[in-house]
Amino acid sequence: MAYEVEKRNEVVYAVKITAEPKELEKEVNEICKEIRKTAKIPGFRPGKAPINIIKKYYEETIKDSLLRTFVAEKLSEAIKEKELQVITEPVVEELDFSLKENRFSTTVLFEVKPSIELKAEDYKGIKVKKTTREITDEDVEKVIEGLKNRQAEFQEVEREAKEEDLVELEYETVIKEGEEEKTQKGSISVILGQKQLWPEVEKEVLGKKAGEEGEVTFTASEDEKVYGEAAGKEITVRFKIKAVKEKILPEVNDEFAQKLGFENLEDMKKKIREDLEISEKTREQEELEDQIVEDLLKKVDVPIPPSMLDLEIRAQAENQLRRLAQFGVDVRQMNPQSIVEMVKPTAEKTVKVKLLLEKVAELEGIEVTDEDLEAEIQKLADAAFGGDYVQARQSLEEKGLLGMIRQDVLRQKALDRLIELAEIEEVPAEEVAKSEEK
């Protein structure tokens, strides 16, 4: 059986396999002998039907067997000879098969991992800047201020409403468009000063007491982020204040800290600082990674396999839909193609970066050890399985995701290696802020 390998493009190959008549006849006879052992043909006992009868009744089975075994064997030889890294299941593009004429040839298509020309000077010594920032007492206090606000209580007061008050009100909104009017009634609780009301309405609410009423008519700007469907239309809002409540912040002391799960106030401040320092280190790492990746993408051409792009688009589209749904968007009304177009540029970049990092790992001799894999599974276990390593690993195995996890670890190790090889200039955040002001 002869084969010809054709490179269709950087990521798609075709192999045409043609059987010699004598070779084909021999292979078909062997297949027929196997079929005959269990074949049920009228007039013949199992294992006794002649070969020519088997061919007549089981032509499709013979064809499938040739593709599954004979062709697969020759395809494997071709892939090995050309040193190709196949990333998709082979697909039959053409098939010319006739038992009567003793003829068989097929063309099989498959995608390969692209060959990336990456030289040492392309990825060693990349110049990057790391913005450094020390965590201060002020940073810790800002976090505590946020915790205070989340633990705040609201107490009803008999005074005029001001910013940071919680106001309960009943309203009627009339939106006019041409001759048509849309009316909506309801009640709402808002915190003033947090842009929860249209600005024209909030201006009228400020300064009013419980029991007082107000009305405002205005033409909304074209800003859909603020006014939504009412953008550009004439709006009238009538409202009545039901209650004005003042925010009462808790006192920051040991008792406050204990309510939040800390031993005392000192322990809370210490843990907050530690968390902020971890977040800052993560930000620094991501800053370096982004710069290195952007530098590599400018230097190196990376062909994108369609199958990898399709998978990445699907994954990112699903993530995007989940995020939109969390914000209350009815994703069922969205055009699927618009979501695909939205995520496609990012998906293309992601695939390129994955392939580049795998090439770096290859050049640097980076491998994923069992210990590396176990550590990553433990991270996932801590995040989603209550720390249960066994349950996490079992779940990954059942879903066939261990290979993907191993590749993720490999790419991260490659990124870490690139940072080690980079020329890093540390720049204090204060200097960056000053230069941006200029």
Side-chain angles (χ1 to χ4, degrees), residues 186-226:
S187 58
I188 190 173
S189 297
V190 296
I191 297 177
L192 299 181
Q194 295 192 5
K195 298 181 179 180
Q196 295 177 358
L197 290 172
W198 289 330
E200 295 84 357
V201 177
E202 180 158 309
K203 184 179 178 181
E204 292 297 316
V205 172
L206 284 164
K208 285 188 168 52
K209 298 179 180 179
E212 294 185 339
E213 299 179 1
E215 179 177 331
V216 58
T217 299
F218 60 95
T219 299
S221 74
E222 299 292 341
D223 190 345
E224 292 186 2
K225 290 183 179 178
V226 176

Side-chain angles (χ1 to χ4, degrees), residues 40-206:
K40 295 181 179 180
I41 300 174
F44 297 94
R45 287 180 295 166
K48 299 299 181 178
I51 294 295
N52 64 316
I53 299 297
I54 296 293
K55 290 179 181 180
K56 179 180 177 181
Y57 278 87
Y58 288 92
E59 185 168 354
E60 279 298 310
T61 305
I62 294 167
K63 181 192 72 176
D64 291 343
S65 184
L66 285 170
L67 289 170
R68 190 173 59 254
T69 57
F70 201 43
V71 171
E73 181 182 328
K74 293 301 176 183
L75 185 59
S76 178
E77 288 180 21
I79 290 169
K80 187 175 181 180
E81 179 191 345
K82 297 294 181 180
E83 298 182 338
L84 302 174
Q85 288 183 275
V86 180
I87 59 174
T88 60
E89 288 293 324
V91 176
V92 175
E93 181 185 44
E94 294 179 359
L95 177 62
D96 180 15
F97 172 56
S98 172
L99 280 176
K100 187 176 181 180
E101 298 178 17
N102 198 31
R103 185 178 71 248
F104 181 91
S105 70
T106 185
T107 301
V108 180
L109 290 179
F110 52 86
E111 289 180 28
V112 301
K113 195 172 183 178
S115 175
I116 300 174
E117 295 298 324
L118 183 64
K119 301 184 288 292
E121 54 266 32
D122 290 330
Y123 70 89
K124 291 184 177 180
I126 294 175
K127 291 181 172 60
V128 293
K129 291 184 178 181
K130 179 168 74 172
T131 308
T132 58
R133 184 176 178 278
E134 292 294 326
I135 300 301
T136 65
D137 291 343
E138 184 180 354
D139 296 321
V140 175
E141 289 303 320
K142 284 181 180 177
V143 175
I144 292 175
E145 191 64 28
L147 293 172
K148 282 172 60 180
N149 278 287
R150 285 200 287 274
Q151 297 294 315
E153 296 179 354
F154 287 89
Q155 181 176 310
E156 194 163 344
V157 291
E158 295 181 3
R159 60 163 172 76
E160 296 175 344
K162 61 182 181 179
E163 287 196 357
E164 294 195 2
D165 284 345
L166 185 146
V167 176
E168 297 174 0
L169 51 85
E170 293 176 345
Y171 68 90
E172 178 185 67
T173 301
V174 180
I175 301 173
K176 190 174 182 180
E177 185 176 14
E179 297 300 318
E180 293 186 9
E181 290 186 352
K182 290 184 179 179
T183 302
Q184 183 179 5
K185 296 181 179 181
S187 58
I188 190 173
S189 297
V190 296
I191 297 177
L192 299 181
Q194 295 192 5
K195 298 181 179 180
Q196 295 177 358
L197 290 172
W198 289 330
E200 295 84 357
V201 177
E202 180 158 309
K203 184 179 178 181
E204 292 297 316
V205 172
L206 284 164

Side-chain angles (χ1 to χ4, degrees), residues 313-314 317 335-345 347:
I313 286 176
R314 193 177 299 123
N335 181 353
Q337 188 58 36
S338 67
I339 297 293
V340 169
E341 294 303 320
M342 185 191 304
V343 304
K344 187 176 180 181

Side-chain angles (χ1 to χ4, degrees), residues 344-355:
K344 187 176 180 181
T346 307
E348 288 177 341
K349 180 179 178 180
T350 301
V351 173
K352 287 183 178 182
V353 171
K354 286 180 177 181
L355 291 168

